[in-house]
Amino acid sequence: MVPVSYYLVLSGILFACGVVGFLIKRNIITIFMSIELMLNGVNLSFVAFAAHWQKFSGQVFVFFVMVVAAAEAAVGLAIIIAVFRTRETLNVDQVNLLKL
Amino acid sequence: MLHLVLFLVFGAICVAGAINLLAQTHPISSALSLVVVMASLAVEYLLLGAEFVAAVQVIVYAGAVMVLFVFVIMLLNAGAEERTKGSHVALVLGVPGVLAGGLLVAWVLLKRSETGRVALGSLPGYPKTIGTLLFHEFLLPFEVTSILVLIAIMGAVVLASRPDAKTPSGKES
């Protein structure tokens, strides 16, 4: 028997790691991976609450979050490729203009 | 007891992978530590009984999405990122702020929340159960996600195609 709050603390730690990575990282791909880390932390809390309330809706919501994350990864990586093609860099400090 | 030990071991692997993601400078190393995080999260889902979610986590996240990431990293030939020195104020205010906020959240969750305990595999989410729910109660959101995925595919193709690419018939696109 494990308290549900342990799972919530783990999910909070993962989400915080994602936020810190989003703020301190300079590589656009790593920033994108930090977003995926945040989504994973949220998914864990969904599953933990599903087990707490004994309802399957939480697990179905995790499925929807995964679908949205997959679509986001496809579009986001296409945007990264487009940015790299025009700017020749992945450093977000050098990507400071909306239009070239 | 077994549940707690498994939770602690894989939770520690999970957090170690997340911190390694922050510590590494090369994107490939970060991507591989993200795979570690996702695989150990799949074990945590199994401990909670979410078997379908654990399988999808491994197949979709650790499989498809991370392959896409590694593919893009190699396609763009990304090197190690150059570190910029952060401001001193951010370091002085940020680290204690993060620690205080994290400890407050952990204290509230551990001591003041009224969530109970869960047994090993307390809510077995078999694919049949999830599928029944998905095609009855959540039918409309499920169909909407199919449109979302279609739009995402078209968006990715449009964004990643070269502006000056020639169409197969030889015309300018």
Side-chain angles (χ1 to χ4, degrees), chain B residues 19-171:
Chain B
I19 290 173
N20 195 37
L21 191 155
L22 302 181
Q24 295 292 334
T25 54
H26 202 281
I28 284 284
S29 316
S30 295
L32 293 181
S33 31
L34 193 54
V35 173
V36 170
V37 172
M38 286 164 173
S40 47
L41 265 181
V43 179
E44 302 280 352
Y45 294 153
L46 272 183
L47 292 180
L48 283 166
E51 298 176 10
F52 174 73
V53 173
V56 172
Q57 170 89 5
V58 171
I59 294 170
V60 173
Y61 253 133
V65 172
M66 291 319 296
V67 165
L68 204 60
F69 268 99
V70 173
F71 177 75
V72 168
I73 292 169
M74 297 204 167
L75 182 73
L76 300 184
N77 199 14
E81 64 175 353
E82 56 255 42
R83 284 277 164 88
T84 45
K85 222 36 184 144
S87 69
H88 193 65
V89 180
L91 201 66
V92 168
L93 288 178
V95 174
V98 167
L99 278 180
L103 286 177
L104 182 68
V105 169
W107 181 75
V108 168
L109 283 176
L110 291 175
K111 296 288 174 204
R112 286 283 176 270
S113 76
E114 287 167 6
T115 51
R117 293 163 169 267
V118 282
L120 192 59
S122 62
L123 187 67
Y126 301 124
K128 188 182 174 188
T129 324
I130 304 289
T132 310
L133 208 57
L134 206 55
F135 287 103
H136 285 97
E137 271 185 60
F138 294 93
L139 184 61
L140 182 66
F142 181 73
E143 295 298 334
V144 172
T145 49
S146 66
I147 298 175
L148 174 79
V149 170
L150 182 67
I151 295 172
I153 293 169
M154 293 194 295
V157 170
V158 169
L159 281 169
S161 64
R162 288 176 186 279
D164 56 344
K166 294 264 170 52
T167 49
S169 57
K171 287 184 208 156

Side-chain angles (χ1 to χ4, degrees), chain A residues 5-100:
Chain A
S5 42
Y6 285 17
Y7 284 100
L8 297 180
V9 169
L10 178 60
S11 112
I13 292 172
L14 286 182
F15 191 88
C17 283
V19 172
V20 170
F22 187 87
L23 293 176
I24 67 170
K25 283 295 187 178
R26 283 290 159 265
N27 189 313
I28 192 166
I29 298 176
T30 323
I31 288 175
F32 205 56
M33 283 192 269
S34 306
I35 298 174
E36 297 289 328
L37 193 59
M38 283 193 260
L39 285 167
N40 271 288
V42 173
N43 277 350
L44 182 61
S45 71
F46 264 127
V47 177
F49 277 124
H52 176 235
W53 295 110
Q54 293 288 306
K55 279 189 166 44
F56 288 104
S57 314
Q59 299 186 6
V60 177
F61 260 86
V62 171
F63 175 77
F64 285 128
V65 171
M66 281 178 182
V67 171
V68 173
E72 177 226 339
V75 175
L77 289 170
I79 291 175
I80 289 173
I81 290 176
V83 165
F84 184 79
R85 200 172 281 151
T86 53
R87 302 263 171 21
E88 301 282 318
T89 180
L90 289 172
N91 191 337
V92 286
D93 283 340
Q94 294 168 20
V95 183
N96 50 9
L97 294 172
L98 274 179
K99 198 177 174 201
L100 279 179

